[in-house]
């Protein structure tokens, strides 16, 4: 004797309801907020972060002033600084006078002292050269722990200034990640640098833009293209109030 199969109408209805509930919950989790939450912004604008970045901005400006007018085929120049890599731990300005002018591609042996290495290279493009600074191994400086740090300064023949790239992997004593990648130029009349910190703010990557000239300087810290901190009249990085 055959038996009728139990009705699936109720289970299917229950599954449909459950699916709708889950879809609604997932949509709420992944919906785009109108802007950074106040708590997230507070984490991005902590006084310690702004103080470290303010010091770094002034270090960049000081290096630009020291190196102005110096790079040439007979004078290689560079600097070595980053957030947390300042004062005695960094190099505000370095001036190297090569025995011969660069004429072909060549990379010289590095020179290392106190875990800090420098290396000179000729690019092979006219008298162009590159000066590289990097940490020989991971190191602790003040409240920062660096897994790595590297900065390259490049000069093209007849150029009035240098271009540079920088990359660091670092954390501070509070566990903040100060990983950074940046680039910029230092010309006789202008400094222009952009640095990105992908993991410093829980809301997203922070971008620091620093520009200066004989007429003055400015710096902007942005989140998602929105300026959330700028240099004030006292040359200190302060919140704009736009991060809400």
């Amino acid at each position: 004797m055959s038996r009728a199969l139990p009705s699936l109408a109720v289970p299917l209805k229950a599954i449909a309801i459950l699916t709708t509930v889950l879809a609604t919950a997932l949509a709420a989790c992944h919906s785009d907020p109108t802007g950074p939450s106040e708590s997230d912004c507070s984490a991005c604008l902590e006084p310690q972060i702004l103080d470290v970045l303010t010091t770094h901005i002034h270090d960049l400006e000081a290096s630009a002033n020291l190196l102005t007018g110096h790079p040439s085929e007979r004078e290689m120049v560079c600097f070595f600084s980053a957030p947390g890599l300042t004062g005695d731990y960094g190099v505000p300005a370095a001036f190297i006078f090569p025995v011969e002018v660069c004429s072909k591609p060549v990379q010289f042996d590095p020179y290392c002292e106190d875990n800090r290495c420098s290396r000179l290279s000729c690019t092979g493009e006219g008298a162009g050269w590159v000066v590289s600074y990097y940490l020989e191994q991971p190191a602790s400086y003040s409240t920062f722990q660096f897994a790595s740090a590297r900065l390259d300064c490049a000069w093209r023949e007849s150029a009035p200034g240098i271009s540079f790239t920088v990359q660091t992997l670092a954390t501070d004593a509070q566990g903040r990640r100060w990983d950074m990648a940046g680039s910029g130029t230092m010309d006789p009349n202008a400094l222009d640098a952009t640095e990105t910190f992908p993991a410093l703010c829980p809301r997203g990557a922070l971008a620091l833009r620093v520009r200066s000239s004989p007429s003055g300087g400015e710096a902007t810290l942005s989140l998602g293209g929105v300026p959330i901190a700028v240099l004030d009249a006292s040359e200190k990085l302060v919140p704009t109030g736009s991060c809400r």
Side-chain angles (χ1 to χ4, degrees), residues 202-220:
R203 190 65 187 89
L206 293 178
L208 178 66
R209 179 78 181 274
V210 182
R211 290 179 287 185
S212 67
S213 66
S215 61
E218 61 181 26
T220 304

Side-chain angles (χ1 to χ4, degrees), residues 102 132 214:
C102 286
S132 302

Side-chain angles (χ1 to χ4, degrees), residues 125-155:
E125 298 179 3
W129 47 256
V130 174
V131 177
S132 302
Y133 271 98
Y134 58 93
L135 296 180
E136 189 173 17
Q137 58 187 6
S140 295
Y141 297 124
S142 185
T143 60
F144 278 73
Q145 174 68 41
F146 283 87
S148 65
R150 182 186 180 97
L151 194 149
D152 298 300
C153 298
W155 178 78

Side-chain angles (χ1 to χ4, degrees), residues 40-113:
D40 283 340
C41 280
S42 297
C44 303
L45 296 170
E46 292 180 355
Q48 298 92 332
I49 291 178
L50 298 182
D51 287 346
V52 169
L53 290 176
T54 295
T55 298
H56 176 54
I57 291 167
H58 294 325
D59 285 347
L60 285 173
E61 293 174 334
S63 293
N65 289 333
L66 290 169
L67 298 178
T68 292
H70 281 276
S72 70
E73 61 184 17
R74 295 192 175 277
E75 187 175 12
M76 299 177 171
V77 302
C78 199
F79 67 102
F80 190 35
S81 67
L85 194 63
T86 184
D88 293 338
Y89 307 121
V91 179
F95 307 91
I96 303 103
F97 301 93
V99 176
E100 296 182 1
V101 173
C102 286
S103 59
K104 59 183 179 180
V106 62
Q107 189 174 68
F108 299 96
D109 292 335
Y111 171 76
C112 298
E113 183 178 14

Side-chain angles (χ1 to χ4, degrees), residues 118-199:
S118 60
R119 189 166 199 163
L120 312 179
S121 304
C122 294
T123 63
E125 298 179 3
W129 47 256
V130 174
V131 177
S132 302
Y133 271 98
Y134 58 93
L135 296 180
E136 189 173 17
Q137 58 187 6
S140 295
Y141 297 124
S142 185
T143 60
F144 278 73
Q145 174 68 41
F146 283 87
S148 65
R150 182 186 180 97
L151 194 149
D152 298 300
C153 298
W155 178 78
R156 292 180 295 103
E157 186 172 355
S158 301
I162 61 171
S163 61
F164 65 90
T165 58
V166 57
Q167 189 166 14
T168 65
L169 295 175
T171 57
D172 64 15
Q174 287 70 41
R176 303 184 192 93
R177 289 180 56 191
W178 285 85
D179 302 350
M180 180 265 282
S183 62
T185 57
M186 290 182 176
D187 294 322
N189 296 315
L191 158 68
D192 193 344
T194 301
E195 297 174 343
T196 302
F197 302 84

